[in-house]
Amino acid sequence: MVKRNVNFNPGPAALPLDVLNIVREELINYQSSGMSILESSHRAKEFEAINDQTIMLVRELLGLGADYHVLFLGGGASTQFALIPMNFIGDGKMAAYVDTGEFAAKALKECQIVAKAHVAFSSKEEQYRRVPKMSEIKYPEDIAYLHVCSNNTIEGTQFREFPNTGSVPLVADMSSDIASRWLDYRKFSMIYAGAQKNLGVAGVTLLLIHDDFLAKRKNGLPTILSYKTHADKKSLYNTPPIFGVYIMKLVLEWIKSKGGLAGMGKINAAKKDLLYGAIDAAPDFYKGTAEKDSRSWMNVTLRLPTQDMEDKFIADAKKEGLIGLKGHRSVGGIRFSIYNAVSLVDIQKAVEFMGKFHKSC
Ligand SMILES: *Cc1c(COP(=O)(O)O)cnc(C)c1O
């Protein structure tokens, strides 16, 4: 067997080994087509089947009906930061943004470039250590949509509940926690997520757009920038990120085999309990940076007493095959990114290392 590291990278991130093995098996001759899926036309029946199956799997696992368009686009989640206000904020209107971290702030900034934005809540002054209570989110009623970032990848915080916005469309960047737990995804008019954290590889972004919300879009955008173009053509207006969609299909099948989102959520709950348990057992040494009731199940952020100890922690962990632990350059410290493909056994290895490291200091 090939020796593999335990991969705590924040994104691109770990993939299930089962998925990598299927890719390897199918790479040279995809389902007896005589060629690789990498060489396939996006109009070929092989890819059309993959596209359709991936759409169906997304709807099935997230509990969505045919009233949601499922799109696979290039450009990353960051491109949606700009396209969402361009597509949905009409002349003289504005949208509201919940500012809970660096990515949420980037989305807000892009909106301010193309339209007007109202800040519905910000924890910036509190170093983004928490997400809001629902009662703290405030916005005028006539906004085009309310935007939230469900999991703050850099700061290690996550929403446990979402606001009831009534007739105001709710839009979420779920790049770092989509499909990691069961929740009522129907609450959202639009959800988007770069695939490279929980759904596969870099290069494809999943978009879910409710039909009623899409109907409210603005006209007059260049064809390629309009969500309507991609919805009408099932993401096949131009060449889609074929390989990314193929991997997403395999990852979704893998999630299904784990009991779907309810099953995945149980595994993820056990993982975060174990890891936060190890942090809380040594509070003078391992200091979680997020407020406890805002803690993320996907990105676990902590500090050690000194920067030197943090550097040593990362270096020693690496020697034991635990990689990707350096906190984001903007906040420092340690970050364990424990997306779906990181197993409970991987977390057990990390916790064992943490105990040993603490003793050695
Ligand atoms: C990683 C990430 C992004 C950026 O995604 P790109 O695909 O690099 O554009 C945006 N939002 C969140 C919450 C993320 O975790």
Side-chain angles (χ1 to χ4, degrees):
M1 250 183 59
V2 189
K3 184 175 171 343
R4 284 170 50 84
N5 289 325
V6 178
N7 184 351
F8 294 108
N9 276 332
L15 286 165
L17 186 57
D18 296 347
V19 166
L20 291 175
N21 277 325
I22 295 172
V23 174
R24 182 170 60 177
E25 261 166 45
E26 294 189 333
L27 190 66
I28 305 290
N29 187 0
Y30 179 74
Q31 297 191 352
S32 310
S33 63
M35 64 182 175
S36 172
I37 196 69
L38 284 167
E39 305 165 296
S40 168
S41 160
H42 56 295
R43 313 277 175 209
K45 68 175 190 328
E46 286 82 9
F47 183 70
E48 217 178 314
I50 289 172
N51 203 45
D52 288 344
Q53 284 162 17
T54 315
I55 292 171
M56 277 175 4
L57 277 162
V58 168
R59 287 203 183 116
E60 180 188 337
L61 289 171
L62 274 64
L64 302 175
D67 48 345
Y68 280 86
H69 299 275
V70 180
L71 308 182
F72 310 116
L73 304 185
S78 302
T79 298
Q80 316 319 316
F81 294 166
L83 291 187
I84 290 166
M86 287 169 80
N87 274 266
F88 293 114
I89 306 183
D91 293 337
K93 296 267 274 185
M94 64 177 175
Y97 280 73
V98 179
D99 175 25
T100 49
E102 264 189 52
F103 286 118
K106 278 185 174 168
L108 168 64
K109 177 170 167 246
E110 294 307 297
C111 179
Q112 287 165 332
I113 292 171
V114 300
K116 261 177 69 181
H118 169 86
V119 180
F121 169 86
S122 178
S123 50
K124 188 171 183 186
E125 300 295 309
E126 302 164 72
Q127 288 74 52
Y128 291 131
R129 275 196 299 266
R130 68 181 186 101
V131 295
K133 294 188 194 66
M134 296 304 100
S135 60
E136 292 176 294
I137 301 173
K138 301 239 159 61
Y139 52 87
E141 272 306 309
D142 60 342
I143 50 171
Y145 58 82
L146 176 71
H147 181 279
V148 298
C149 181
S150 56
N151 184 73
N152 298 284
T153 322
I154 294 170
E155 296 81 5
T157 66
Q158 187 178 27
F159 283 77
R160 300 251 72 77
E161 56 174 332
F162 294 93
N164 291 314
T165 52
S167 61
V168 171
L170 182 59
V171 175
D173 175 358
M174 292 198 187
S175 292
S176 51
D177 69 349
I178 193 158
S180 66
R181 56 176 166 169
W182 173 254
L183 57 89
D184 184 7
Y185 288 91
R186 298 190 56 85
K187 210 173 175 166
F188 300 86
S189 289
M190 176 167 176
I191 294 167
Y192 62 104
Q196 67 271 26
K197 283 133 191 174
N198 269 313
L199 294 177
V201 295
V204 60
T205 307
L206 173 67
L207 282 79
L208 307 164
I209 310 178
H210 194 274
D211 208 32
D212 294 345
F213 189 46
L214 188 64
K216 291 186 188 156
R217 79 195 179 279
K218 266 173 52 169
N219 288 315
L221 285 182
T223 312
I224 189 77
L225 302 184
S226 168
Y227 288 137
K228 176 87 167 106
T229 305
H230 303 291
D232 283 349
K233 299 275 198 256
K234 279 203 305 191
S235 312
L236 294 168
Y237 166 72
N238 68 325
T239 318
I242 286 194
F243 200 58
V245 177
Y246 162 66
I247 305 266
M248 193 187 294
K249 177 178 107 62
L250 297 178
V251 170
L252 292 169
E253 284 168 344
W254 176 83
I255 291 173
K256 194 173 163 178
S257 77
K258 298 280 168 190
L261 298 203
M264 213 65 249
K266 266 194 205 142
I267 298 168
N268 284 328
K271 283 156 54 185
K272 64 95 190 165
D273 281 345
L274 191 56
L275 193 46
Y276 283 117
I279 292 170
D280 293 339
D284 297 330
F285 191 70
Y286 294 120
K287 298 173 201 299
T289 56
E291 285 190 11
K292 278 192 180 168
D293 51 13
S294 291
R295 280 174 166 179
S296 168
W297 294 22
M298 294 280 102
N299 306 98
V300 175
T301 51
L302 60 147
R303 304 292 319 225
L304 267 55
T306 66
Q307 166 96 49
D308 283 349
M309 278 185 191
E310 287 170 350
D311 292 344
K312 187 168 187 309
F313 183 93
I314 292 162
D316 286 6
K318 194 170 177 183
K319 280 183 212 148
E320 304 218 359
L322 309 172
I323 63 147
L325 294 175
K326 205 168 163 53
H328 189 271
R329 60 191 180 280
S330 66
V331 295
I334 312 285
R335 170 174 53 172
F336 287 89
S337 296
I338 55 171
Y339 304 121
N340 287 347
V342 175
S343 70
L344 187 58
V345 172
D346 294 338
I347 306 293
Q348 283 160 352
K349 287 180 190 157
V351 165
E352 201 177 300
F353 168 76
M354 286 168 75
K356 246 187 357 196
F357 184 82
H358 185 190
K359 265 197 210 125
S360 76
C361 284

